[in-house]
Amino acid sequence: MSFLLSALSKFLAGMLVAVLTGAIFTMVLNQTLLNSKYLEHQLASEDAYSRLSVALTDQITKQADNPEAPVDPAQVEKLKTILTPTLLQTKINATLDAFQAYYRGNGPQPTLDLTDVVAQAQAAGIPIPADSDINKPIPLGSSKNQNAKNFSKGFDQVRTGTLMTSLLLVVALLAVSWRRHKWAALPDVLITVGVLLGLFAVAFSVASGMAGHYVKFDTASNAFVPIGRDLAAGIAHDLAKRLAILGAVISITGIATRILVARLHSNEKVPLKTALKTGYQQPIKN
């Protein structure tokens, strides 16, 4: 019977490590990559709106450039006053909010609309080609595609499922520990989860640095590439920091609980189960 309880305890502990780690990951993702406000904050922290203003101005100028009638530098300066970082921040943030509502099933297909900017540029004398990508609203996703909404529904189910399963596994592990009169399993789970989160944090931190070092981008042909690269690196570093903090807190909690359990066991003259049932107290040693 003792062998079976020991095996069951190890099985439940292993399952709890996997499910609890998954629950923490879904919580972090829900608060970061799947949260429009988080993405807006990251864009602002990377100065992406100002950099996008410069990149879009350059892109529009290249599309309008004609060797026979090159764009007047004065018109380029005028375009800079139209395509301001504040304008882009307003439009991009609204689009991100709309996209979040869309994939959560609470809104229509989102679009990024720069047609008013195009109209102002044309009024300033900058020729925008008829086939330009920005002279009409740019749809994000497909209005007939249910994958985004299905993803949101599935993600919410996974998030709820991992949390509920974690609670059930904790209760089951505590019940087995009660039967075995051994309480180290749950603290060991916390320590293991904390270490795993720390390893994932290191992986996120190292991966972003290695990608920037080994993957070369042609920034001359596409001014948007460095913005995307820096944004991805910033998000990876932020995720690494969040996971590291969570891992440290969970590990410290597990270690402290493990020490407490070890001290309780070292001071026991009767099994902990019996002491809790009968109210048994150790005699005071002078």
Side-chain angles (χ1 to χ4, degrees):
M1 185 65 176
S2 177
F3 172 77
L4 292 177
L5 289 175
S6 176
L8 180 59
S9 177
K10 292 179 180 179
F11 172 77
L12 291 173
M15 289 290 295
L16 183 56
V17 166
V19 175
L20 186 57
T21 303
I24 293 172
F25 260 106
T26 57
M27 178 189 69
V28 171
L29 288 177
N30 190 59
Q31 295 177 349
T32 55
L33 295 180
L34 300 180
N35 189 317
S36 63
K37 299 303 179 186
Y38 171 83
L39 296 175
E40 292 164 13
H41 172 75
Q42 289 299 314
L43 285 166
S45 65
E46 294 294 332
D47 196 27
Y49 301 110
S50 297
R51 297 168 67 186
L52 280 171
S53 176
V54 174
L56 279 171
T57 299
D58 181 67
Q59 187 72 15
I60 292 173
T61 302
K62 286 181 178 179
Q63 290 183 357
D65 193 15
N66 185 342
E68 299 179 358
V71 176
D72 187 346
Q75 294 177 338
V76 175
E77 293 301 319
K78 178 64 175 177
L79 182 58
K80 290 181 180 179
T81 64
I82 297 172
L83 203 60
T84 62
T86 301
L87 173 68
L88 289 176
Q89 183 173 3
T90 300
K91 288 185 173 293
I92 291 173
N93 289 1
T95 302
L96 288 173
D97 292 341
F99 190 76
Q100 177 173 308
Y102 169 71
Y103 84 76
R104 289 187 183 278
N106 299 323
Q109 179 187 11
T111 59
L112 179 60
D113 191 353
L114 296 175
T115 54
D116 55 338
V117 176
V118 173
Q120 293 182 59
Q122 290 172 334
I126 300 175
I128 306 295
D131 59 349
S132 173
D133 294 333
I134 62 173
N135 62 359
K136 55 184 177 296
I138 304 171
L140 302 177
S142 172
S143 59
K144 297 180 180 180
N145 191 352
Q146 295 296 318
N147 288 340
K149 295 179 181 180
N150 290 338
F151 167 79
S152 176
K153 182 179 179 180
F155 179 83
D156 288 340
Q157 290 175 343
V158 169
R159 182 160 56 94
T160 303
T162 52
L163 287 173
M164 296 301 297
T165 304
S166 296
L167 291 175
L168 291 175
L169 287 172
V170 167
V171 172
L173 188 58
L174 288 175
V176 173
S177 299
W178 179 270
R179 292 283 297 175
R180 298 181 65 215
H181 308 156
K182 295 180 179 180
W183 301 90
L186 190 56
D188 288 346
V189 166
L190 294 177
I191 295 171
T192 304
V193 171
V195 171
L196 285 176
L197 292 177
L199 292 175
F200 282 120
V202 171
F204 271 109
S205 181
V206 171
S208 61
M210 291 180 62
H213 180 74
Y214 291 104
V215 180
K216 304 302 180 183
F217 300 97
D218 184 10
T219 58
S221 62
N222 192 337
F224 301 101
V225 168
I227 301 174
R229 177 194 60 201
D230 294 345
L231 180 61
I235 290 175
H237 281 298
D238 183 72
L239 290 176
K241 181 176 69 174
R242 289 169 181 262
L243 290 173
I245 292 173
L246 285 171
V249 170
I250 293 173
S251 292
I252 292 171
T253 302
I255 293 171
T257 308
R258 190 74 163 80
I259 293 173
L260 178 61
V261 168
R263 287 181 176 178
L264 288 174
H265 277 290
S266 66
N267 293 330
E268 282 182 347
K269 290 185 177 180
V270 297
L272 179 61
K273 178 181 176 182
T274 303
L276 292 174
K277 280 186 174 181
T278 61
Y280 175 84
Q281 296 180 352
Q282 297 290 341
I284 298 176
K285 297 180 181 180
N286 295 324

